Amino acid sequence: MALIVQRQIVPDVLIGVWKVEETQQELLVRYPYLQSVAERFRNPRRRLEKLSVYALLHALLPDEPFLSISHNPDGKPLLDKWNISISDTKGYVAVMLSRSHRVGIDVEYQSDRVSRIASRFLRADELFSDAPSQLVVWCSKEAFYKCFSEQHLEYADMRALSLPLGQSGMLEMQNMRTDEVCSVAYFFQTDFVLAFLYC
């Protein structure tokens, strides 16, 4: 098992993070019905990530044996009877689930490269100059986008209203199209930062 984070945020909201350590073959031995999933991906890395998402789903929902993720025309993941959000980064996959709430999650590997691309996702009125803060804002915007995916938000349509405070906390994010403000939770682990919200 490579489940490294599992939390029930409220009674109807689950999150999990899986460290991708097992091989494709090990996962297919454990979940043979996923052979058809594996065959859809030619890239070995992407195939292993997708199989790891299913392994994480089985860890979060052990009483639901035959799970099947589909996608809407925009690419948003769909899971029968659940709202689902999925993210992956170098060596990790993350999933957030709820039966009644919209959800959004993002996991990003810790790296200084975020500062090189900060101009792509920061607005002129978001003055975050250090890499950890930029990483939290980037991750939070990705999670926010997933929660409101039907609106097709651009980075400029989302504005961080508060400063990240440390290893964990809440970041207030404003939808500039609707003026709605939501709190995005975040926390750092050794290798990654995770951001998520539900509404």
Side-chain angles (χ1 to χ4, degrees), residues 85 104-108 118-128 133-149 152-162 171-176 182 184-186 194-197:
S85 183
I105 195 167
D106 192 61
V107 61
E108 298 291 342
S119 62
R120 294 184 198 168
F121 65 87
L122 288 179
R123 296 165 44 94
D125 55 358
E126 293 175 317
L127 306 175
F128 301 102
S133 293
Q134 291 169 345
L135 191 57
V136 168
V137 172
W138 182 25
C139 206
S140 296
K141 285 189 176 188
E142 290 288 322
F144 196 86
Y145 172 84
K146 291 173 184 177
C147 197
F148 296 96
S149 63
H152 302 283
L153 298 172
E154 302 287 337
Y155 286 126
D157 297 325
M158 300 173 272
R159 182 168 63 132
L161 300 177
S162 57
L171 185 71
E172 297 297 307
M173 188 71 67
Q174 181 181 16
N175 182 331
M176 302 299 286
C182 296
V184 182
Y186 69 89
L194 187 76
F196 58 91
L197 74 156

Side-chain angles (χ1 to χ4, degrees), residues 38-47:
E39 291 168 359
R40 291 196 302 250
F41 298 93
R42 297 205 321 208
N43 180 300
R45 184 184 61 82
R46 291 299 291 160
R47 187 183 310 125

